[in-house]
Amino acid sequence: MNLRIIQITPLPYLFGCLPVVERPPNTKEFNYNSIVIEEDGHYYYWSRGVSIEITKTLYEQVIGNPKLFIDSTSYKLHQRVNKVLGEINYGQ
């Protein structure tokens, strides 16, 4: 089993750099630790109490670039976790 803790944070704003990339605000909701797990050829992303199975490609991409911005791997995984959390809350 291989575990890695990664820090998910919004892409910082770099003054004067173009193009401007859409990014979430720098708030607690978008700053957190996640864990990526590889075990026996299966890959998982754990964040905010939710574990989801992911592909090897997503596993490698989120490790390579954990910055949140629109259409980033981190953002897509963030949205998948939000969907699971929403389904849990609606089911109660």
Side-chain angles (χ1 to χ4, degrees):
M1 180 185 305
N2 183 14
L3 298 171
R4 292 190 189 200
I5 298 172
I6 55 175
Q7 175 66 40
I8 303 296
T9 58
L11 183 69
Y13 175 74
L14 302 174
F15 183 74
C17 291
L18 294 175
V20 175
V21 177
E22 289 185 59
R23 61 187 58 83
N26 192 10
T27 62
K28 184 178 177 181
E29 178 186 359
F30 298 107
N31 284 286
Y32 52 88
N33 288 324
S34 291
I35 301 171
V36 288
I37 304 162
E38 181 276 321
E39 182 175 26
D40 297 329
H42 294 275
Y43 301 88
Y44 305 91
Y45 179 81
W46 183 90
S47 177
R48 301 176 311 179
V50 173
S51 178
I52 55 176
E53 190 165 2
I54 60 174
T55 64
K56 181 179 180 180
T57 301
L58 290 175
Y59 172 84
E60 292 169 346
Q61 289 174 342
V62 76
I63 289 171
N65 184 10
K67 299 297 182 192
L68 277 170
F69 56 92
I70 304 303
D71 289 332
S72 70
T73 300
S74 300
Y75 189 74
K76 290 174 185 175
L77 293 171
H78 179 86
Q79 295 298 84
R80 283 179 60 185
V81 168
N82 280 348
K83 182 178 179 185
V84 171
L85 289 171
E87 290 172 358
I88 291 170
N89 291 334
Y90 286 125
Q92 294 178 352

